[in-house]
Amino acid sequence: MMGKANSRRSTSSQASSKLSTASRSLFSKSSPKASASGAGNSGTSESPVSARTSLLNVLRRPKSSHAITSVTSTNASSKHGQSFDSFNEDDYSDHGSTVASSYASSIRSSWSSRSSSSEDIAKRYENYLETPFVNTTTTIKHSEYGVCTNPNWRWTSHWDPAEPVHPEEEPQPPYYILLSTYLSYLLLIVLGHIRDFFGKRFLPKAYAHLVPHDGYAALNSDFDSFYTRRLKMRLDDCFSRPTTGVAGRTVVCYDRVSHDENNTFQLTGTTTRALNVSSYNYLGFASSSGPCADVVEASLHKYGVSSGGLRHDTGTTDLHEQTEKLVARFLGVESAYVCSMGFATNATTIPALVSKGCLVISDELIHASVRFGVRISGANVRAFKHNNLKHLESLLRESISQGQPRTHRPWKKIMVIVEGLYSMEGTLVPLPQLLELRNKYKFYLYLDEAHSVGALGPNGRGVCDYFGIDPREVDVLMGTFTKSFGAAGGYIAGTKHLIDRLRVTSHHMTYAEAMSPAVCTQIIATMSAIMGVAPPLASPPALEEPNDASSIVSRASRTFNYGPVPSHMLPSFMKLPQVVLNGLDGRDRLRRIAFNSRYLSSALRKLGFVVYGHRDSPIIPLLIYNPAKMLLFSQMMLNRFGADKTPIVIVVVAYPATPLITSRIRFCLSSSHTKHDMDMLLRACEEIGTLLDLKLAKQTMTVEQVIASAEELVASTHV
Amino acid sequence: MSSAAGASTSHHGSNSMEVPAPLLPLLSILSSLFLNLSSVFHRIPGSPIILRYIKSSYQDDPYRSLLEVLLVAFAIRTIFKGRTGGEGQGKSFIKFSEKEIDELVDEWRPAPLVEELEESDIQTLSSVPTIHGPGGTHVKLSAGGKSVLNLASIDWLGLVEADQMKQTAIDTLKEYGVGTCGPAGFYGLLDVHLRFQSEVAEFLGTEDAIVYSQAYATTASVIPAFAKRGDIIVADRGVNFAIQRGLQISRSQIRWYAHGDMEDMERVMQQVEKERKRKGGKLTKKFIVTEGIFENDGMMVDLPKVIELKHKYKYRLMLDESHSFGMIGAHGKGVTEHYNIPASEVDMLIASMANGCAAGGGFCAGSSVVCSHQRINSSASVFSASLPAMLATTASTALTVFNNQPELFNALQANSLLFRQILNKLEPTPFSVPPCDPAYITPSESMPPPAVTNNEALIHIPSHPQSALIHIFLLNPPSTLQEEEAMLQDIVDETLNTSQVLVTRARRLRGQEGLEPEPSLKICMSSNFTKKEVEKAAQALKQAITKVCSKRR
């Protein structure tokens, strides 16, 4: 095991110290305004007030014409706020509030007054990532799941018809940015070719794998690997940074250096703990301690690590069956099965659903695993423009009327494959309209909820829950456990008939290893935390309703009722604490991620950044366009020059995952983040975004204004 | 340009006689517009030069001007056509009116999403056992039931039950949690992954290794990461399902050779060479894809010969050791150790961490170029969350067991031999104990089965004597695959019901496999069984086979 010196790095490099002086002057310029706005809004965050009064404060402010909808939604959350308040009484109202608010106000004053030096702030933030502001009794570490007890910082994720699901037009950057981006790539490509030209002649060893030698053809195509060698390698410091421990609210990264232009990296032996806005840990269930980890430990004692072999041999244990029943119950469908890898779930199931003579129409931005599966299936494939249902409809009309290519025979079946939440865009699928199309054109709908399940909807059931649609409307539901549940693998869910048939025909069931019992337990524990567990004596509400296959329309209009899981469905060794059993912990997690997502997304827009996606999406892409800025942004976030000096790790996404020019930063938010974490992230974006000229849209608020009016931003129906 | 203007005015003039009066203002507007345009054009700096150039080029070479005009027209057409080819294009496209399309949409009746369950499917589902409680050599098939002897789980060294594996997992849990919540590129690359990669590379003697999160996906993804359209793959006909899917995805040209037949392999390679010489063309990548211990029948590859041919014809070798890693060789390094061939001779060595290591996931070992290529280009590595930390650490623990307890491998082979000797009574030819020479190749490796000498023979076992994965084929199977599988299922049930020994039959997706493998019984040996247990299991199976086969006669 490598040495673990949890030293926080002092920013020592020349570049960052230069930058830090620049930033200080930036902050001192903006701070007077900020203090003014902070004072005006002190009621919400400084004095220990109840959830209701603070929400009323928000509501009393002048509102736009959308006030009515926001009133109803905030009313709903204030009700929840009350119940939450009582549950967390010890934490919040006894000692927590005073400590928290004094701490918060001290931070606020230090940010706003010029007199306090940046050293003071740095000192105050020294243990920010590991020690919470308040004393808590929770067993979960603050570094994995942040302590955040203020009930105002909660939101319920649900569809508001007043907000468009998908904006008609993506925001466009100014022309000079486009031009400079194209020029950068042109320069990189020209330089790359020059280097290749001379390199091949003077350093033949380094190019051995790219040129035929000794009768062997080159292993890698010179042309195919050009992007990787000449463009991506310059950014390699942003990718595959090794980490250790839990990728929770914070993550510990190994520091590394490269002495050969990123060909290889050497670990320096030190580590840096950084705020983690990169991992798909939506509900914060990735943790090494706490109730879920305890249950997994009990399961490891009983079942061990492996169940030994394939599902159809002896890989199926009672734990697998319990997991599958629970997943079906969680999603509100009849049946489900699990697969040991998320990628393989798509890759092994799609070939069992479609074959030659069938047509798959998928969104152009669909995940690689779906493409993999479709290619194995042998079905024909078409793609429609991202979330563009008009284009989908025209494709459908054309495909159905034309039939199969050349023969014009009718298609056996048409399957439309979409994702609930797109992992690079933060956009949601317009599910209600898609279902209308489905009723007209009779295609089958395959919904990949890899990112949305757990992360969206008032009950955390994904996009169906978010839009208030009966999950049984969707023909095939797919999702993964890697993200919201802190486990691994994926599921396929649908009618009993479908799942039984897929158990026989899916490649995974017959040929791939079974899921580890420990992973099954993590899934069971986290799902029951979200659902809540009904006491043994209470009779569980019936899920199946007889004779409802008659009318699809009537089913769609019915709201679906997700109940708690009856305790008899859970393994007997599972002992969960009361706060998890009654579902309050799970509900709190759902509310926290909803607040964080909406807050950061709205705030970044107010600051003038170009942000894609839906405001309720926990995936928030921030556009940066120029390739050189990607590396700078990533490194500046890690070597923060801002006063608090807290490192932040972020993900940069570039071609080929995105179109060439729309390189972006992708924030993945989590319930484990606190509001202070979001504030810090916003300040960091402000510092770096100003320096790198990323605020390409119109800025309407300063960063301190945005932080002060967080609740208002979240409650408003538009940005 | 001025001549063109002149032509237009003369045109205007000649027509003005016949043009009706109301059109005159329109024409005058047109001509004034034209004059304006030409004056604007003249104001552009450099326009006289262009004009002069066009004029002179027209006078010098009128055909060139025509060509240029055509080129411009073509360019404009291409721009407006857009890139969405296939839509409304193609020779067989039929134009319909909107109403016709509506009717066709109404008329279209799609097939059901999945077919009805057939009788055989229901039987397949009902024959899948559920293990209550932990796996291992003894398992329970119902909540309070009696425990049965388990020869159906892949657990070569009895690591499924090992306490040190559990302890490693629990220690890991307390530091890393369960999931990694991200792909390796985005902060999902843990130090435990790096540690396992360097450990396994050192263990095998390769430069580097890369970890995947599922063994099936490893195989199916490594192949297309290297083999592309136009490349040539020479593959064994008996390869497993995951390899077949990888070959399919690669879209390379697949050349099959008869299962385990090295002469046929050479013949295919010679043919490829001949074709290349005849056609010319550029050098393409050539791969051999085969398995160490074949998943479908337990046979072992003749690695020395494969390596020889690989060097002779300049191929790269992809060897799937999913089953042989942790089973074959003095330390479980797989067939390379068995034949005493350095693992670095194999270009891409693919293995499972779920079988031999009793953890989960898979890895590919090879040179550092091979591994770093996969980190960026292999879809199951790039687009999937990384392996849970506890599976990587338990696999590391398994490697330590391999290194420190080679006696386990002796016990495993002794158990396999004992089992084979007992079942040999039902085989056509006498079973010979293989000598310790690593280069030894059993006669069973040369299919088809040898001539029948034992008149009582019922079964045929092609598996390698050292293979802990033992496939039992019926010698005189019923005419259809369904009947044969039903019969094998009868044997499985009979063994379980009379002797409490759990075995399984090889499950297949009929109609999806490349070359339909014959139905077989699948036995997984473990070093954890005592001699007595192995004898009991073998006798039970022998009796069951005899009983079921005699019933049929």
Side-chain angles (χ1 to χ4, degrees):
Chain A
M1 194 62 96
M2 281 167 257
K4 246 180 237 146
N6 270 359
S7 69
R8 274 184 45 152
R9 244 184 320 178
S10 58
T11 43
S12 58
S13 71
Q14 277 191 329
S16 57
S17 66
K18 256 186 238 161
L19 291 170
S20 70
T21 42
S23 78
R24 252 170 250 152
S25 60
L26 274 173
F27 275 119
S28 49
K29 253 184 250 166
S30 62
S31 46
K33 261 192 243 166
S35 66
S37 72
N41 194 32
S42 58
T44 52
S45 56
E46 286 189 24
S47 56
V49 286
S50 77
R52 171 159 294 203
T53 46
S54 70
L55 273 163
L56 285 175
N57 278 345
V58 171
L59 292 174
R60 273 190 210 115
R61 282 189 203 138
K63 269 266 158 38
S64 61
S65 57
H66 294 279
I68 296 163
T69 31
S70 70
V71 168
T72 52
S73 58
T74 41
N75 268 347
S77 59
S78 80
K79 255 187 258 158
H80 301 316
Q82 273 183 325
S83 60
F84 175 69
D85 205 359
S86 57
F87 135 64
N88 233 355
E89 225 154 40
D90 311 345
D91 266 10
Y92 184 62
S93 44
D94 282 353
H95 51 262
S97 56
T98 47
V99 181
S101 55
S102 68
Y103 200 99
S105 60
S106 72
I107 289 170
R108 188 174 299 283
S109 63
S110 69
W111 278 97
S112 47
S113 70
R114 273 186 225 198
S115 58
S116 98
S117 66
S118 59
E119 281 81 32
D120 287 348
I121 298 171
K123 205 174 172 199
R124 224 167 270 141
Y125 270 88
E126 200 173 352
N127 280 324
Y128 174 77
L129 292 176
E130 279 155 281
T131 322
F133 302 154
V134 291
N135 301 322
T136 59
T137 49
T138 171
T139 52
I140 298 177
K141 295 168 194 154
H142 183 58
S143 59
E144 290 173 4
Y145 192 81
V147 176
C148 179
T149 47
N150 187 335
N152 296 339
W153 299 332
R154 301 291 189 271
W155 186 253
T156 305
S157 156
H158 65 96
W159 183 42
D160 177 358
E163 280 182 67
V165 181
H166 183 58
E168 283 298 309
E169 266 181 52
E170 294 288 6
Q172 293 296 322
Y175 282 109
Y176 77 93
I177 291 286
L178 281 182
L179 198 67
S180 61
T181 308
Y182 278 121
L183 279 178
S184 319
Y185 278 112
L186 189 70
L187 194 66
L188 284 169
I189 290 167
V190 169
L191 273 179
H193 280 297
I194 293 173
R195 287 179 66 180
D196 273 4
F197 179 84
F198 287 107
K200 276 179 195 164
R201 276 150 189 86
F202 296 113
L203 296 164
K205 257 193 188 164
Y207 287 82
H209 64 288
L210 295 176
V211 288
H213 62 97
D214 198 18
Y216 288 91
L219 186 59
N220 300 349
S221 148
D222 186 2
F223 178 78
D224 288 351
S225 66
F226 181 82
Y227 174 80
T228 318
R229 287 181 294 121
R230 293 293 170 221
L231 281 80
K232 182 183 165 287
M233 191 176 271
R234 289 170 181 266
L235 307 175
D236 262 358
D237 192 35
C238 310
F239 305 111
S240 300
R241 206 171 267 144
T243 63
T244 183
V246 175
R249 169 176 163 259
T250 67
V251 65
V252 178
C253 292
Y254 283 99
D255 301 329
R256 60 179 184 181
V257 286
S258 178
H259 301 295
D260 53 1
E261 296 180 341
N262 294 353
N263 256 320
T264 56
F265 286 95
Q266 281 79 42
L267 300 184
T268 59
T270 55
T271 56
T272 304
R273 186 179 282 280
L275 184 69
N276 177 14
V277 281
S278 318
S279 294
Y280 307 133
N281 176 27
Y282 296 129
L283 294 181
F285 280 119
S287 64
S288 59
S289 53
C292 292
D294 294 342
V295 173
V296 175
E297 189 184 338
S299 139
L300 277 169
H301 277 297
K302 187 176 174 194
Y303 287 89
V305 186
S306 162
S307 65
L310 316 172
R311 281 299 299 277
H312 275 187
D313 291 349
T314 54
T316 307
T317 66
D318 48 348
L319 211 50
H320 289 88
E321 291 187 343
Q322 280 161 342
T323 311
E324 288 175 345
K325 281 190 187 129
L326 185 66
V327 169
R329 177 91 191 186
F330 178 84
L331 296 167
V333 293
E334 282 174 17
S335 192
Y337 74 84
V338 297
C339 173
S340 53
M341 182 190 188
F343 182 92
T345 313
N346 277 330
T348 59
T349 305
I350 293 172
L353 289 169
V354 289
S355 58
K356 213 160 172 277
C358 302
L359 176 68
V360 171
I361 306 182
S362 67
D363 194 288
E364 61 180 352
L365 298 178
I366 203 82
H367 192 253
S369 56
V370 173
R371 291 163 206 257
F372 198 98
V374 173
R375 251 166 86 177
I376 287 180
S377 74
N380 281 50
V381 60
R382 306 281 297 264
F384 63 96
K385 292 198 185 94
H386 178 53
N387 267 356
N388 186 336
L389 295 189
K390 281 198 192 114
H391 188 216
L392 172 65
E393 184 166 9
S394 76
L395 268 184
L396 282 165
R397 289 176 73 82
E398 189 200 312
S399 313
I400 296 175
S401 62
Q402 295 293 324
Q404 297 187 32
R406 301 226 321 276
T407 60
H408 290 289
R409 285 196 188 162
W411 295 102
K412 282 192 209 154
K413 50 192 165 192
I414 296 179
M415 193 157 83
V416 171
I417 306 185
V418 291
E419 286 185 50
L421 172 61
Y422 288 85
S423 62
M424 295 295 163
E425 314 289 314
T427 45
L428 297 179
V429 65
L431 196 58
Q433 293 92 316
L434 191 61
L435 286 174
E436 276 169 34
L437 270 191
R438 203 261 317 250
N439 293 342
K440 183 168 175 198
Y441 293 98
K442 295 172 277 193
F443 56 80
Y444 297 108
L445 184 60
Y446 184 106
L447 180 61
D448 179 340
E449 293 219 68
H451 286 270
S452 49
V453 69
L456 282 174
N459 306 293
R461 281 6 183 233
V463 279
C464 291
D465 187 22
Y466 180 81
F467 287 112
I469 287 169
D470 188 328
R472 289 170 289 186
E473 282 285 287
V474 181
D475 298 289
V476 190
L477 286 165
M478 179 270 168
T480 62
F481 302 120
T482 319
K483 281 104 188 175
S484 301
F485 307 100
Y491 66 80
I492 297 284
T495 61
K496 185 171 182 309
H497 170 66
L498 170 81
I499 299 303
D500 280 352
R501 177 73 193 165
L502 285 178
R503 276 180 205 277
V504 181
T505 53
S506 142
H507 299 175
H508 168 262
M509 282 302 207
T510 319
Y511 298 104
E513 73 218 49
M515 190 180 258
S516 165
V519 176
C520 289
T521 316
Q522 169 83 4
I523 296 164
I524 295 180
T526 51
M527 272 195 179
S528 31
I530 301 171
M531 298 165 85
V533 180
L537 289 176
S539 62
L543 187 66
E544 286 82 21
E545 289 158 57
N547 304 328
D548 63 350
S550 50
S551 164
I552 295 169
V553 185
S554 68
R555 241 208 258 172
S557 59
R558 208 163 51 217
T559 52
F560 193 81
N561 193 16
Y562 297 97
V565 53
S567 59
H568 68 83
M569 285 179 74
L570 304 177
S572 52
F573 64 82
M574 200 163 118
K575 300 277 180 285
L576 289 170
Q578 191 58 36
V579 66
V580 175
L581 285 177
N582 60 18
L584 285 177
D585 176 64
R587 202 168 60 179
D588 190 40
R589 284 171 193 261
L590 296 174
R591 302 240 169 97
R592 278 176 66 167
I593 189 176
F595 177 86
N596 288 344
S597 311
R598 216 170 151 88
Y599 170 39
L600 190 73
S601 185
S602 318
L604 285 173
R605 281 168 223 250
K606 287 280 181 208
L607 291 181
F609 289 101
V610 182
V611 177
Y612 279 179
H614 197 277
R615 279 166 72 215
D616 283 329
S617 145
I619 296 172
I620 301 168
L622 188 162
L623 276 285
I624 42 178
Y625 303 103
N626 295 72
K629 290 180 187 169
M630 288 192 270
L631 182 63
L632 274 176
F633 198 102
S634 173
Q635 288 178 342
M636 287 161 100
M637 277 293 206
L638 192 59
N639 308 310
R640 283 281 306 286
F641 56 82
D644 57 77
K645 296 260 190 290
T646 309
I648 301 173
V649 291
I650 51 128
V651 162
V652 301
V653 198
Y655 178 82
T658 67
L660 190 65
I661 69 150
T662 54
S663 313
R664 59 196 72 170
I665 306 287
R666 191 184 59 174
F667 300 115
C668 287
L669 300 186
S670 159
S671 313
S672 64
H673 296 127
T674 63
K675 164 144 189 306
H676 288 295
D677 295 340
M678 295 296 104
D679 297 348
M680 174 186 284
L681 185 61
L682 283 170
R683 287 189 180 111
C685 287
E686 169 74 20
E687 289 157 25
I688 297 165
T690 315
L691 266 181
L692 297 182
D693 187 22
L694 296 178
K695 300 211 267 181
L696 302 169
K698 198 168 156 256
Q699 177 168 6
T700 45
M701 283 169 109
T702 67
V703 65
E704 297 305 324
Q705 279 172 340
V706 161
I707 289 171
S709 53
E711 291 126 67
E712 201 177 356
L713 276 179
V714 168
S716 74
T717 51
H718 69 292
V719 197
Chain B
M1 198 45 83
S2 61
S3 69
S8 126
T9 38
S10 71
H11 178 77
H12 179 196
S14 66
N15 277 5
S16 61
M17 308 307 236
E18 298 142 41
V19 167
L23 274 185
L24 280 174
L26 185 74
L27 287 171
S28 68
I29 288 169
L30 272 177
S31 73
S32 70
L33 186 74
F34 182 79
L35 283 173
N36 278 341
L37 272 179
S38 71
S39 73
V40 167
F41 179 75
H42 280 289
R43 250 181 273 151
I44 298 170
S47 62
I49 303 172
I50 298 170
L51 216 58
R52 224 178 303 136
Y53 170 77
I54 294 173
K55 262 189 212 165
S56 64
S57 83
Y58 171 71
Q59 279 160 1
D60 295 345
D61 189 356
Y63 291 108
R64 191 178 127 193
S65 307
L66 182 71
L67 197 71
E68 279 167 355
V69 168
L70 283 178
L71 266 177
V72 169
F74 182 74
I76 291 170
R77 183 171 163 261
T78 317
I79 289 166
F80 281 100
K81 205 174 140 196
R83 279 192 207 164
T84 47
E87 262 172 82
Q89 250 100 63
K91 276 177 194 157
S92 62
F93 188 83
I94 306 166
K95 237 180 148 29
F96 292 108
S97 70
E98 288 299 298
K99 203 174 150 235
E100 282 172 316
I101 294 179
D102 283 335
E103 283 171 8
L104 284 165
V105 165
D106 281 342
E107 256 173 45
W108 181 59
R109 290 279 167 272
L113 182 57
V114 286
E115 281 102 64
E116 287 299 316
L117 280 171
E118 286 163 26
E119 194 58 33
S120 61
D121 298 339
I122 295 166
Q123 273 171 7
T124 306
L125 282 181
S126 63
S127 69
V128 174
T130 306
I131 309 294
H132 286 256
T137 46
H138 293 84
V139 294
K140 284 183 180 148
L141 294 182
S142 58
K146 251 169 98 179
S147 57
V148 298
L149 197 60
N150 177 15
L151 279 86
S153 292
I154 298 175
D155 182 20
W156 316 133
L157 301 188
L159 291 174
V160 166
E161 291 167 285
D163 283 336
Q164 68 191 105
M165 299 285 277
K166 286 184 191 172
Q167 197 49 52
T168 309
I170 290 168
D171 292 346
T172 314
L173 172 75
K174 289 187 175 157
E175 205 173 324
Y176 294 88
V178 179
T180 58
C181 290
F186 301 150
Y187 306 96
L189 181 66
L190 294 172
D191 48 359
V192 294
H193 296 135
L194 293 174
R195 198 181 62 175
F196 179 78
Q197 284 171 5
S198 62
E199 277 176 4
V200 81
E202 199 193 322
F203 179 67
L204 289 168
T206 58
E207 279 180 28
D208 201 356
I210 170 174
V211 169
Y212 286 79
S213 37
Q214 193 195 42
Y216 174 90
T218 311
T219 318
S221 174
V222 170
I223 297 172
F226 293 99
K228 307 280 181 196
R229 198 189 283 276
D231 294 341
I232 292 165
I233 298 179
V234 172
D236 191 296
R237 262 198 196 284
V239 291
N240 64 34
F241 193 80
I243 296 184
Q244 292 173 23
R245 299 286 79 80
L247 296 177
Q248 189 187 345
I249 286 278
S250 76
R251 295 182 180 172
S252 307
Q253 192 188 341
I254 318 284
R255 309 297 292 264
W256 300 101
Y257 65 90
H259 179 37
D261 186 345
M262 290 298 117
E263 279 166 29
D264 195 40
M265 181 175 179
E266 183 156 20
R267 184 189 60 78
V268 170
M269 287 172 154
Q270 279 168 348
Q271 207 182 331
V272 168
E273 196 60 24
K274 221 186 284 169
E275 274 171 31
R276 198 179 71 81
K277 275 194 184 133
R278 202 186 57 214
K279 278 191 199 154
K282 77 178 214 298
L283 194 61
T284 51
K285 283 173 273 181
K286 292 176 288 187
F287 298 93
I288 300 169
V289 177
T290 185
E291 281 182 85
I293 291 283
F294 283 88
E295 187 179 325
N296 286 350
D297 56 14
M299 278 166 64
M300 194 190 286
V301 68
D302 181 4
L303 194 61
K305 187 73 186 165
V306 171
I307 298 277
E308 185 199 318
L309 290 177
K310 157 192 142 69
H311 285 306
K312 188 171 169 193
Y313 293 95
K314 310 219 181 278
Y315 277 68
R316 291 186 173 91
L317 175 59
M318 292 188 185
L319 185 65
D320 184 354
E321 295 226 54
S322 291
H323 284 80
S324 46
F325 183 75
M327 178 220 274
I328 296 291
H331 295 91
K333 294 180 191 173
V335 287
T336 51
E337 193 185 25
H338 175 81
Y339 288 110
N340 209 5
I341 291 170
S344 50
E345 288 281 299
V346 180
D347 297 87
M348 297 104 195
L349 196 155
I350 304 158
S352 161
M353 294 146 77
N355 295 342
C357 299
F363 68 87
C364 174
S367 68
S368 46
V369 170
V370 162
C371 293
S372 52
H373 177 78
Q374 289 175 54
R375 292 201 170 96
I376 303 159
N377 293 296
S378 179
S379 46
S381 158
V382 176
F383 297 108
S384 158
S386 54
L387 185 72
M390 64 170 68
L391 299 183
T393 52
T394 45
S396 285
T397 307
L399 286 189
T400 341
V401 174
F402 293 176
N403 258 329
N404 299 341
Q405 291 169 268
E407 68 274 8
L408 288 177
F409 293 99
N410 294 337
L412 176 65
Q413 287 183 9
N415 281 349
S416 306
L417 277 183
L418 179 62
F419 187 83
R420 291 289 297 273
Q421 275 163 346
I422 295 171
L423 279 181
N424 187 238
K425 307 254 159 49
L426 298 179
E427 276 192 281
T429 48
F431 184 74
S432 56
V433 180
C436 290
D437 179 11
Y440 175 81
I441 301 153
T442 58
S444 65
E445 281 188 12
S446 53
M447 286 265 271
V452 177
T453 50
N454 178 2
N455 291 333
E456 299 293 301
L458 294 171
I459 54 166
H460 159 61
I461 307 179
S463 308
H464 190 272
Q466 293 191 5
S467 165
L469 176 74
I470 300 165
H471 279 266
I472 302 175
F473 294 84
L474 293 177
L475 210 52
N476 300 306
S479 49
T480 65
L481 286 179
Q482 282 88 347
E483 282 176 52
E484 191 175 353
E485 288 192 333
M487 198 169 147
L488 292 175
Q489 186 61 45
D490 285 346
I491 297 176
V492 170
D493 295 342
E494 176 69 26
T495 322
L496 182 64
N497 293 337
T498 53
S499 324
Q500 281 80 49
V501 174
L502 179 66
V503 293
T504 183
R505 65 187 168 87
R507 311 270 177 174
R508 315 268 182 219
L509 286 183
R510 294 292 167 200
Q512 303 223 34
E513 293 260 7
L515 174 84
E516 287 290 352
E518 291 284 310
S520 61
L521 289 171
K522 189 165 112 183
I523 313 294
C524 301
M525 202 37 70
S526 168
S527 66
N528 240 11
F529 293 126
T530 61
K531 207 177 153 205
K532 234 178 170 175
E533 283 167 342
V534 176
E535 276 171 6
K536 179 192 165 193
Q539 292 294 355
L541 191 62
K542 200 179 127 197
Q543 279 162 18
I545 292 171
T546 323
K547 189 173 167 192
V548 171
C549 287
S550 64
K551 210 189 280 171
R552 192 175 140 253
R553 282 175 196 164

